[in-house]
Amino acid sequence: QPANLEFAEIKCPTIRGDVLVSFKNQSQKSFILNITIPANTSATVYLPFWNKLQKVTMNGEPVSFTREGVFAIIKEIGSGNTIFEINNR
């Protein structure tokens, strides 16, 4: 969980290519995650889960997720650049 951390970014080298991740966080209000996944790979993304009223989008479109504790989990995200956004209403 990012808690009060407002921004972070990381580049993680893998045998398939670099995974790039950055986020912007306004704790309990909004969270934007930008992730780039190498070709021919997939990922499971863990996002903050604040409450049942939050809305999660993937590239601007609503997306369903599985809740596990304090995480909203989205599985099988394909390669390329994907932007997730959470808005807490």
Side-chain angles (χ1 to χ4, degrees):
Q1 290 290 345
N4 293 326
L5 186 62
E6 293 179 4
F7 176 81
E9 63 183 4
I10 189 168
K11 177 174 128 178
C12 181
T14 74
I15 60 172
R16 304 267 185 187
D18 293 338
V19 174
L20 307 171
V21 180
S22 66
F23 72 79
K24 294 179 185 177
N25 178 44
Q26 291 185 324
S27 187
Q28 301 292 319
K29 295 178 185 173
S30 70
F31 182 84
I32 299 170
L33 177 78
N34 188 334
I35 184 167
T36 302
I37 301 167
N40 302 313
T41 60
S42 64
T44 298
V45 175
Y46 286 71
L47 300 167
F49 181 86
W50 296 317
N51 64 53
K52 294 178 184 178
L53 299 177
Q54 77 182 33
K55 305 294 181 197
V56 179
T57 61
M58 181 172 79
N59 295 329
E61 298 294 324
V63 65
S64 59
F65 58 86
T66 303
R67 179 182 175 197
E68 188 174 305
V70 295
F71 297 103
I73 302 170
I74 304 169
K75 296 182 179 181
E76 297 299 318
I77 303 304
S79 59
N81 184 257
T82 306
I83 298 172
F84 294 94
E85 187 166 357
I86 299 174
N87 286 303
N88 195 11
R89 298 178 189 224

